[in-house]
Amino acid sequence: ANGKGWAKGEPPLNLEAYLDLVAIGTVADLAPLDRDENRALVKRGLMVLNRAERPGVSALLKVAGVEPGTVTATTIGYAIGPRINAAGRLADAMIAYELLAARDEATAEARANRLQELNVQRQELTRNAQLLVREEIEPQRFSGYMIFASGEFQPGIVGLVAGRLTEEFYRPTVIMERGETESRASCRSIPQFDITQALDACADLLVRHGGHAQAAGFTVVNENIPALKARLTALADEQLAGQELKPQLEIDAVVNLNHLTLDMVEDLKQLEPTGFKNSTPVLMSRSVHIKEKRTVGKDNQHLKLKLTRAGQPPLDAIGFNLGEWAKSLNGAVDVAFELEINEWNGQRSLQLNLRDLRPSETR
């Protein structure tokens, strides 16, 4: 190779053409987006990604229902990354490689459709496993400080199930895939409990373990499982006893609903790319009145609201997985949300993506 970094006689690589893959890898692997180098790579990568010149990227965006030109770091995290990861979780990671390396549309379309199938399967398996564990723990939901469950789960989804349950119950969670002689588990935790430190205290019972404060994994010989469960549960009870275990949502600014505009959304885009370590701004409005409310989605799990504004049309709000609130919403509410633009039939309108809500103290 010569000093320019490529083999003699070969043309130089067009490195910019690979920045779409760099952006996908950086965001999907949760690299911190408060670092200048990561922000620069993702920002430039998103420009390439939005051109969708790579056949695999174009096909993947199509099956995900994402229009080229609208891709953000959030799109990678919630639409692109999960579909790529579904291959390795349930089948063969080479499917994702073949998609991204495809040189023709037919190959790309076939691999993208396969990833879509696997992602739907992954969602269904995760949902069913979550329901099974929930039924097991519901009777003693608040009797302890740790969720510890095992079963014949798919190896690729145990971490997802643990994450979902930690989010739902706000408790450290261990989900174990039982094997004949050894079992493997994924753990997810909350800021108040360092799960890797707890596993270190159980090292004599484990074959191997590793991770960080809020996500870890381990392998254990089956005969040690009862002792391991007892010790981990005792550690959680000791460290978490007496604490008010409720998730906290950090609010960036309190705003008047009447002052929100489309221009404000454009101004907030200057903070992009947002993601890990550089979260999308969360705003809050107090004493908001609801004009209409209804639930949408499978099992009515999502909440749709129309919120009144002085001298202006009602403002639409969508609350994913907040459908239960529809039964108890009366009077004024405080809402925490991300501000976004909803595009439908060529029309652009403001929309609140609700993160949480509560009855207002001033009615």
Side-chain angles (χ1 to χ4, degrees):
N2 61 24
K4 294 183 179 179
W6 59 82
K8 188 174 181 180
E10 294 184 4
L13 289 172
N14 178 11
L15 296 179
E16 184 182 358
Y18 293 89
L19 285 174
D20 55 347
L21 302 183
V22 172
I24 291 172
T26 303
V27 175
D29 203 34
L30 297 181
L33 292 181
D34 60 350
R35 298 281 296 271
D36 289 345
E37 63 273 28
N38 290 337
R39 291 179 60 76
L41 288 170
V42 172
K43 190 169 185 177
R44 291 183 62 184
L46 284 171
M47 294 170 65
V48 179
L49 192 56
N50 272 299
R51 296 201 294 266
E53 294 170 347
R54 187 182 303 277
V57 166
S58 178
L60 193 58
L61 293 179
K62 185 176 180 180
V63 297
V66 177
E67 288 289 331
T70 67
V71 181
T72 65
T74 301
T75 311
I76 296 174
Y78 287 93
I80 297 175
R83 286 171 171 80
I84 291 174
N85 286 336
R89 290 185 186 280
L90 298 183
D92 188 337
M94 285 299 294
I95 300 170
Y97 169 79
E98 290 165 1
L99 168 82
L100 296 174
R103 295 176 178 268
D104 61 275
E105 293 182 4
T107 301
E109 184 177 344
R111 299 300 184 275
N113 287 333
R114 179 58 178 148
L115 288 186
Q116 177 69 4
E117 293 170 0
L118 289 171
N119 193 52
V120 171
Q121 183 182 352
R122 186 268 308 168
Q123 290 172 325
E124 191 65 25
L125 287 169
T126 302
R127 188 180 303 113
N128 290 340
Q130 185 180 356
L131 289 173
L132 284 173
V133 176
R134 187 191 294 150
E135 289 173 1
E136 179 183 332
I137 67 173
E138 197 73 49
Q140 61 272 6
R141 175 173 175 177
F142 297 110
S143 63
Y145 291 94
M146 172 174 281
I147 296 170
F148 192 114
S150 62
E152 297 179 0
F153 302 120
Q154 283 276 129
I157 67 166
V158 287
L160 299 174
V161 177
R164 293 278 185 87
L165 290 164
T166 295
E167 183 179 327
E168 180 179 0
F169 293 102
Y170 204 69
R171 295 289 189 276
T173 302
V174 176
I175 300 296
M176 183 181 297
E177 172 215 351
R178 292 296 293 261
E180 289 188 12
T181 59
E182 290 184 350
S183 295
R184 295 172 176 81
S186 282
C187 317
R188 298 293 183 269
S189 195
I190 56 179
Q192 295 91 332
F193 186 75
D194 187 326
I195 187 63
T196 300
Q197 189 177 74
L199 292 177
D200 288 342
C202 302
D204 58 304
L205 299 172
L206 301 172
V207 176
R208 66 184 67 89
H209 70 284
H212 56 79
Q214 294 185 39
F218 65 80
T219 300
V220 60
V221 177
N222 287 351
E223 63 187 32
N224 287 342
I225 292 176
L228 175 66
K229 181 178 180 179
R231 193 183 299 179
L232 281 176
T233 301
L235 286 169
D237 289 350
E238 178 185 344
Q239 294 182 33
L240 297 174
Q243 296 192 45
E244 185 179 14
L245 297 181
K246 292 183 179 180
Q248 294 184 339
L249 182 62
E250 187 172 336
I251 305 298
D252 293 291
V254 178
V255 297
N256 187 319
L257 214 62
N258 298 317
H259 297 165
L260 302 180
T261 64
L262 291 171
D263 287 342
M264 187 179 293
V265 182
E266 298 300 330
D267 289 340
L268 290 173
K269 284 184 179 179
Q270 295 182 56
L271 299 173
E272 296 284 351
T274 56
F276 182 60
K277 295 291 186 180
N278 182 44
S279 301
T280 303
V282 177
L283 308 177
M284 175 184 174
S285 291
R286 291 192 173 99
S287 302
V288 175
H289 290 272
I290 299 170
K291 180 179 176 64
E292 295 179 17
K293 64 178 180 180
R294 61 189 176 96
T295 54
V296 295
K298 186 178 180 181
D299 300 324
N300 297 311
Q301 75 268 40
H302 308 314
L303 177 68
K304 288 209 76 171
L305 302 176
K306 285 188 178 295
L307 306 174
T308 60
R309 293 192 293 173
Q312 301 180 68
L315 189 58
D316 289 329
I318 177 73
F320 295 103
N321 299 311
L322 296 177
E324 283 292 320
W325 274 102
K327 302 173 184 178
S328 57
L329 289 178
N330 291 297
V333 293
D334 300 334
V335 290
F337 58 90
E338 296 172 8
L339 190 61
E340 59 188 24
I341 294 175
N342 183 34
E343 299 196 25
W344 180 254
N345 289 334
Q347 299 294 317
R348 302 172 84 241
S349 61
L350 274 179
Q351 177 175 272
L352 308 187
N353 189 332
L354 298 176
R355 294 289 304 277
D356 203 358
L357 66 165
R358 67 185 182 194
S360 178
E361 294 179 359
T362 57
R363 295 178 180 269

